[in-house]
Amino acid sequence: MLTDLGFTALQQAYASAAITPAQVMADIRIRAAQKADYNIWLHLLTEAEQAPYIEALAQKKPEEHPLWGIPFAIKDNIDLANIPTTAGCEAFAYTPNQSAQVVQQLIDAGAIPVGKTALDQFATGLNGTRSTIGPCHNSFNPEYISGGSSSGSAVALALGLCSFSLGTDTAGS
C-alpha cells in the first residue's frame, strides 16, 4: 500500500491508476485501528461514512479539483456534516447538518475526511491531556503526550494517517 500521503505522491499514484481513493481510505482505516492506543480519533469515519465523498470524486476532474482524493483530519471542534462534534465533551455533543465553511471548501476541492480528532476539552488546554479518550500520545515516543489542544490532528498527520489536518489555536497552544 502507498505509505507516502504527500499531495504529489498521491496525485501521481492516482494518475497512474496504481491506487484508488477508496483503497487509500481503507488502508488509512486499517492503520488508524492499529494506532488506536495513541488516542487520536474521537470519530474515525467508517467506509460507509466516507463512501459519499469517494463517490463524488467520479464527478470531479482531478485537474480541476486540486485536492482530489487527498485525505484530511478534522479537529473535533470543527463541524463535518452528519458527524458528531463534541469539542471533547460528550455533554456538549451535537450533530451538525452542514460542514464548517473550511471543511466544505476542502471537500468541494476533492479532499476526503478521515475523521474527527481528539483535542483538549473545548480546545482550551495547552497540553492535550483533557480528552474523553485520554491523552493523545506523542508520535515519536508514545510514553510522552503530544501536547497542544490540537494534539489529535498533529499526531494523525505525524503518523501518516492523513495528508493534512485542521486544528485551531483557541488558547494559544
Side-chain angles (χ1 to χ4, degrees):
M1 193 47 63
L2 188 66
T3 57
D4 182 354
L5 293 182
F7 288 35
T8 302
L10 277 176
Q11 290 166 338
Q12 289 173 348
Y14 292 149
S16 69
I19 199 163
T20 67
Q23 291 170 319
V24 169
M25 300 313 288
D27 180 63
I28 289 172
R29 285 191 305 276
I30 290 167
R31 291 187 297 112
Q34 293 168 345
K35 302 285 186 183
D37 56 334
Y38 280 77
N39 298 331
I40 299 168
W41 304 100
L42 292 181
H43 187 104
L44 182 66
L45 270 66
T46 65
E47 180 179 3
E49 290 169 331
Q50 287 175 339
Y53 303 107
I54 293 169
E55 291 166 5
L57 294 178
Q59 307 302 315
K60 298 177 179 181
K61 297 178 182 177
E63 59 274 8
E64 295 174 6
H65 296 84
L67 299 178
W68 194 95
I70 304 295
F72 74 105
I74 305 165
K75 184 176 179 179
D76 193 35
N77 64 338
I78 303 171
D79 289 344
L80 174 62
N82 305 312
I83 301 297
T85 295
T86 70
C89 178
E90 290 300 323
F92 174 77
Y94 63 93
T95 302
N97 293 326
Q98 62 185 29
S99 295
Q101 183 177 357
V102 66
V103 172
Q104 190 59 55
Q105 289 173 322
L106 294 169
I107 292 167
D108 292 346
I112 305 170
V114 175
K116 303 292 289 293
T117 60
L119 67 156
D120 208 73
Q121 192 174 63
F122 296 116
T124 59
L126 300 179
N127 61 16
T129 58
R130 294 179 310 141
S131 170
T132 57
I133 58 174
C136 191
H137 296 283
N138 184 286
S139 61
F140 298 108
N141 185 341
E143 292 182 23
Y144 294 102
I145 61 169
S146 62
S149 66
S150 299
S151 54
S153 291
V155 175
L157 183 61
L159 291 176
L161 300 175
C162 57
S163 298
F164 67 96
S165 60
L166 298 179
T168 62
D169 189 17
T170 311
S173 62

